[in-house]
Amino acid sequence: MTVGPLPEGPALLEVRHAVRRWVRAHDDADAGVAVALSGGADSLALTAAAVVEAGPVHALVVDHRLQVGSGDVAARAAERARALGCASAQVLPVTVEGQGGLEAAARRTRYEALDAARADRPVLLGHTLDDQAETVLLGLARGSGPRSLAGMRAYDAPWGRPLLGVRRTVTERACTELGLPPYRDPHNLSPEFTRVRLRTEALPLLEQILGGGVAEALTRTAAQLREDGDVLDELAVELLTCASTGDELDVAALVDAPPAVRRRALRAWLLRRGARGLTDRQLRAADDLVGSWRGQGGVALGGGREGVRLVVSRRRGRLSVGFVGEQSGSNNCR
Ligand SMILES: Nc1ncnc2c1ncn2[C@@H]1O[C@H](COP(=O)(O)OP(=O)(O)OP(=O)(O)O)[C@@H](O)[C@H]1O
């Protein structure tokens, strides 16, 4: 395969316009970008468009090594990236391990590998409008908070998502226009995955019942929540600045703040102090140390080490986070 001018089909032009808009909006892309390429339709169309719209493109293909032949799939994707005109194309073999189920572990490992290889460039991902709609619908059905319902951002440095306004059918058609049949991951068809059933059963049924437009409507909701959430986040930063005294928080500065702002401030602070995998329940219990104080003990958080728990507790009008031995201390840990 050799590099030639891209065909001028309408689907590919739509993908190119989306990438062009993203590049214009984010000057981090001035020195070129990395593209996370799975070989699927979305990231393949994205790679082709980025080569013409985003300067030097460095394709990164993660080989999760979870399926027989995954190395060949990755090598073929990298070869296509070079043929499309990428400045470089690298296969990143990884070992998927860790907690939280295979899908979550694979995602975490993938993002770590991409982050390590991106060489300070932003990394473009191929998430589409359909991915966004699925994320929001799943979040709604699971009772997630506004942060999850707000969906993915177009740029959450270093992760860029230029195709959040583009339908998956368009990236598929763009690949047809390019004459490049995308790789079809068998996992993307397997009904044992919740997301696959959402994509192939729940969303089409909703579209049929509501007369279409559901995916777009879900992404509109996400955008509105993102805007509202950004304002609350800014207020939370101000509150945190007022309440911080070294590593601790002054309860008096927090107590009269609206709980929605206070919880955001607490969340940011707890994550900064080392909390991991913070749940809504833990956050609300931590907030009770401020808003519903009755002398209760500390709240255990994820982020401890063997034999010690990470705990947020209140003493003398201050909140602090520290390690507590498994045997000692708090009676209110969740
Ligand atoms: N193995 C991988 N290597 C590099 N990037 C990946 C890989 N898998 C996924 N990504 C990136 O994450 C994005 C979203 O992942 P997701 O699992 O939804 O993609 P996919 O359906 O496998 O592939 P595509 O989105 O390219 O059709 C992809 O568009 C791609 O940018």
Side-chain angles (χ1 to χ4, degrees):
M1 274 196 282
T2 50
V3 188
L6 287 187
E8 297 263 304
L12 194 54
L13 285 177
E14 185 176 334
V15 177
R16 282 181 56 179
H17 281 145
V19 174
R20 194 178 307 162
R21 274 196 301 277
W22 190 94
V23 169
R24 283 192 185 144
H26 304 101
D27 32 332
D28 286 17
D30 282 353
V33 295
V35 171
L37 173 64
S38 69
D42 305 332
S43 53
L44 198 55
L46 172 67
T47 305
V51 167
V52 250
E53 303 293 344
V57 172
H58 302 268
L60 300 175
V61 186
V62 178
D63 174 9
H64 296 99
R65 299 195 293 181
L66 292 172
Q67 292 168 35
V68 180
S70 68
D72 293 340
V73 172
R76 207 169 309 131
E79 193 184 310
R80 282 184 159 178
R82 284 182 212 108
L84 282 167
C86 285
S88 72
Q90 212 182 327
V91 173
L92 310 169
V94 295
T95 304
V96 175
E97 54 196 3
Q99 301 161 332
L102 193 62
E103 245 185 307
R107 188 179 308 112
R108 199 170 45 243
T109 311
R110 176 164 72 242
Y111 278 91
E112 280 167 9
L114 292 169
D115 197 20
R118 70 189 176 86
D120 263 353
R121 303 180 184 100
V123 182
L124 303 189
L125 300 157
H127 293 109
T128 60
L129 187 147
D130 299 75
D131 293 311
Q132 184 78 301
E134 288 158 17
T135 303
V136 178
L137 186 60
L138 200 59
L140 275 173
R142 287 181 167 162
S144 304
R147 198 173 293 276
S148 300
L149 298 182
M152 298 173 276
R153 286 176 186 271
Y155 193 36
D156 189 2
W159 313 109
R161 298 184 177 88
L163 305 188
L164 285 178
V166 175
R167 296 301 304 257
R168 192 176 286 138
T169 48
V170 173
T171 61
E172 289 274 353
R173 282 208 306 277
C175 288
T176 308
E177 290 168 9
L178 284 163
L180 294 179
Y183 170 66
R184 297 195 191 280
D185 184 347
H187 282 157
N188 284 348
L189 298 170
S190 168
E192 75 203 67
F193 293 107
T194 311
R195 223 173 223 280
V196 172
R197 295 198 63 191
L198 212 61
R199 179 180 304 166
T200 56
E201 299 174 42
L203 264 166
L205 183 63
L206 266 179
E207 295 274 359
Q208 189 194 325
I209 293 170
L210 296 174
V214 173
E216 289 86 350
L218 285 166
T219 60
R220 271 202 307 281
T221 302
Q224 286 161 7
L225 281 168
R226 257 194 318 279
E227 278 182 16
D228 291 0
D230 286 348
V231 177
L232 291 172
D233 277 344
E234 276 173 33
L235 294 173
V237 169
E238 286 171 22
L239 180 61
L240 204 50
T241 309
C242 291
S244 293
T245 53
D247 287 344
E248 298 184 331
L249 291 186
D250 180 10
V251 171
L254 296 169
V255 73
D256 293 326
V261 176
R262 197 170 63 204
R263 280 198 297 273
R264 278 171 193 256
L266 275 177
R267 179 177 181 277
W269 178 69
L270 291 171
L271 291 175
R272 208 182 296 160
R273 304 291 306 138
R276 296 285 167 266
L278 195 60
T279 65
D280 184 58
R281 203 161 160 211
Q282 289 167 332
L283 185 57
R284 283 175 190 273
D287 187 51
D288 284 347
L289 296 172
V290 179
S292 301
W293 177 242
R294 44 183 164 65
Q296 65 265 43
V299 178
L301 309 162
R305 299 190 297 252
E306 193 160 344
V308 284
R309 292 181 297 183
L310 191 67
V311 172
V312 55
S313 49
R314 172 171 169 166
R315 265 186 83 214
R316 301 202 182 102
R318 298 275 172 90
L319 291 188
S320 62
V321 173
F323 290 107
V324 172
E326 295 279 4
Q327 302 310 319
S328 61
S330 55
N331 54 14
N332 193 33
C333 300
R334 320 175 178 218

